[in-house]
Amino acid sequence: MPVKSINSVRCAFLLGVFAVVSIVGLVGFGHWNAQAQMQNHGMGQGMHGHGADGTGHDEVNMPGLRGMNATSEESTELAVMFRGFQTLSREVVDLPNGIRTVTISSDEAVMGALASHVAGMIGRVERGDDPQIMIQSPTLDIFFLRGNAIVTKIDVTDEGIVVVQTSDDPEMVTALHVHAAEVSDMADRGMQAVHEMMMQRAGN
């Protein structure tokens, strides 16, 4: 995914001070029982098959943030964002060919994790390198399969992290719209939004 524009000084400052996180989106994933997920649905199944009774949730250790191809640092950064979701503010504009999002946190540690996460995920999409986080949304699958169909522009401003993603692929545009809404819901409601998304997918 080519990055056409970055405020390199501010972005480097954030990344250097706070290290590496991943958006988009999406935000808040501490629910799953890792062993049950791997046995019953596999690491790549994400939010599918969540237990309706809520068993297996561990919001302290957040095993659902682990992944077959994710680093411990990435999982830790996700946990920072989920635990600090109430500090996040996010605006999304659906464009005819993509999205424009602005995300910021009032907490420096959460903001650092956010900046690192966004940069890391854009790099993964560019490489087709799916982290396979146990509870990640299936909406992300198309990004890792066809990431070269996305053009991304990033800027770090006083507003926050501004990301514009566009595509000529109608399926990709739909996925961008859906995923942006999923991330916004998680930024607003944290684990509760994740819980409900998993329950909904399990019922389909």
Side-chain angles (χ1 to χ4, degrees), residues 67-90:
M68 184 178 292
N69 188 36
T71 67
S72 59
E73 289 81 4
E74 287 173 321
S75 298
T76 296
E77 290 165 344
L78 286 169
V80 169
M81 289 190 291
F82 283 120
R83 290 180 180 130
F85 79 93
Q86 292 177 321
T87 72
L88 291 165
S89 298
R90 180 172 165 85

Side-chain angles (χ1 to χ4, degrees), residues 14-15 18-27 71-82 108-124 161:
L14 283 171
L15 298 179
F18 297 114
V20 183
V21 193
S22 149
I23 173 180
V24 156
L26 322 253
V27 178
T71 67
S72 59
E73 289 81 4
E74 287 173 321
S75 298
T76 296
E77 290 165 344
L78 286 169
V80 169
M81 289 190 291
F82 283 120
E108 288 187 352
V110 176
M111 187 64 185
L114 173 66
S116 178
H117 174 82
V118 170
M121 283 297 288
I122 287 172
R124 280 187 173 274
I161 300 174

Side-chain angles (χ1 to χ4, degrees), residues 12-204:
F13 172 77
L14 283 171
L15 298 179
V17 172
F18 297 114
V20 183
V21 193
S22 149
I23 173 180
V24 156
L26 322 253
V27 178
F29 293 136
H31 284 303
W32 280 45
N33 180 308
Q35 186 174 6
Q37 164 101 16
M38 288 185 283
Q39 289 174 346
N40 296 329
H41 302 285
M43 292 287 285
Q45 294 301 310
M47 294 180 182
H48 297 288
H50 176 258
D53 62 356
T55 58
H57 290 200
D58 180 351
E59 295 188 17
V60 175
N61 298 311
M62 297 189 176
L65 297 181
R66 300 169 192 161
M68 184 178 292
N69 188 36
T71 67
S72 59
E73 289 81 4
E74 287 173 321
S75 298
T76 296
E77 290 165 344
L78 286 169
V80 169
M81 289 190 291
F82 283 120
R83 290 180 180 130
F85 79 93
Q86 292 177 321
T87 72
L88 291 165
S89 298
R90 180 172 165 85
E91 296 180 3
V92 176
V93 176
D94 284 346
L95 307 173
N97 62 341
I99 55 170
R100 181 183 187 273
T101 68
V102 183
T103 312
I104 194 168
S105 172
S106 59
D107 181 275
E108 288 187 352
V110 176
M111 187 64 185
L114 173 66
S116 178
H117 174 82
V118 170
M121 283 297 288
I122 287 172
R124 280 187 173 274
V125 169
E126 182 178 22
R127 299 189 302 273
D129 187 15
D130 188 345
Q132 300 179 56
I133 299 295
M134 283 186 285
I135 57 174
Q136 77 184 35
S137 169
T139 307
L140 292 171
D141 293 350
I142 190 174
F143 297 158
F144 296 109
L145 290 172
R146 288 151 52 185
N148 60 354
I150 305 172
V151 175
T152 298
K153 298 179 182 179
I154 306 174
D155 199 7
V156 181
T157 73
D158 292 340
E159 289 183 274
I161 300 174
V162 181
V163 178
V164 178
Q165 293 183 296
T166 58
S167 178
D168 294 329
D169 181 338
E171 288 186 318
M172 188 67 76
V173 172
T174 297
L176 287 167
H177 290 170
V178 171
H179 181 60
E182 290 175 340
V183 172
S184 292
D185 194 22
M186 290 184 285
D188 286 341
R189 301 190 297 127
M191 294 291 184
Q192 182 62 32
V194 176
H195 181 108
E196 291 175 10
M197 281 189 281
M198 290 188 292
M199 297 261 302
Q200 182 179 5
R201 294 186 189 281
N204 292 335

